[in-house]
Amino acid sequence: MAERRIETARLLLRGPQDSDLAWQLQWLNTRSVMRFLGGERSADQVTHSFALNAAAWEQGEPAFWTVLLRESGELAGRCGLSRIKEEPAPLPIRG
């Protein structure tokens, strides 16, 4: 599959890479980031979700993009869509 990327004047969006996992564990799995997203998760849970997202990305399914600052290459976050499979999600929006 051809590499999918989106570039703007300030940002680069690309698919997940293995090296993103450590950053995600350190910077995204925090109380302040996760407070409205179900709370902090264990490293195993984050790793599992990361693997599911990477597999979805490879299969061309809805997935999260990794966002980098274009000038420095510094990771800035994630954005995108994913299927909701969690029990608390209302039935009409579960994937």
Side-chain angles (χ1 to χ4, degrees):
M1 176 184 296
E3 182 180 18
R4 292 176 284 162
R5 298 168 60 114
I6 297 174
E7 293 188 41
T8 71
R10 294 180 44 233
L11 302 174
L12 167 65
L13 284 71
R14 61 156 171 78
Q17 296 177 354
D18 291 343
S19 59
D20 298 341
L21 178 58
W23 178 86
Q24 189 173 327
L25 284 164
Q26 180 179 1
W27 294 103
L28 296 184
N29 192 40
T30 65
R31 181 174 293 136
S32 61
V33 171
M34 296 299 293
R35 71 177 177 246
F36 300 116
L37 300 170
E40 292 175 81
R41 298 164 44 195
S42 72
D44 287 342
Q45 289 171 313
V46 173
T47 300
H48 179 71
S49 292
F50 185 86
L52 291 175
N53 185 66
W57 179 269
E58 288 299 318
Q59 295 169 14
E61 295 179 1
F64 285 95
W65 297 74
T66 300
V67 180
L68 299 94
L69 300 177
R70 188 172 175 182
E71 189 172 300
S72 66
E74 181 181 359
L75 288 167
R78 298 184 334 145
C79 67
L81 302 170
S82 67
R83 296 191 187 279
I84 298 174
K85 297 180 181 176
E86 302 296 322
E87 196 60 34
L91 285 174
I93 64 170
R94 287 189 204 156

